[in-house]
Amino acid sequence: MHIEDHDPLDRLQEASRQYRNTRTWPRVQAIILAQQGDTAPQIARALGFSRRAVQAWVAAYNHGGLDALPDRPH
């Protein structure tokens, strides 16, 4: 998976701690795993989400960085 280099790994890990116990946490984890070279199916299995969800999160991150990962108001 291609990941834009918006943030260094340590910044992503800090964001992961910040978003712990929120719906954003698995999204940040997906970006961390993708940056480490995991594929979408591997990430989906590890986090318990669909491959398509992982791909959507990566696409959102590539487009807008960490600010694109939290839930938007409905």
Side-chain angles (χ1 to χ4, degrees), residues 46-63:
L47 297 177
F49 288 87
S50 72
R51 174 187 52 84
R52 293 184 74 110
V54 170
Q55 290 171 329
W57 298 337
V58 168
Y61 177 80
N62 284 343
H63 183 70

Side-chain angles (χ1 to χ4, degrees), residues 12-54:
L12 291 171
Q13 290 170 337
E14 176 61 34
S16 176
R17 286 187 290 278
Q18 175 187 349
Y19 287 114
R20 192 73 175 162
N21 298 320
T22 69
R23 290 175 49 151
T24 305
W25 181 83
R27 299 169 191 186
V28 177
Q29 286 300 115
I31 301 307
I32 291 170
L33 292 172
Q35 246 191 9
Q36 294 174 345
D38 289 2
T39 65
Q42 290 170 327
I43 296 167
R45 277 192 302 279
L47 297 177
F49 288 87
S50 72
R51 174 187 52 84
R52 293 184 74 110
V54 170

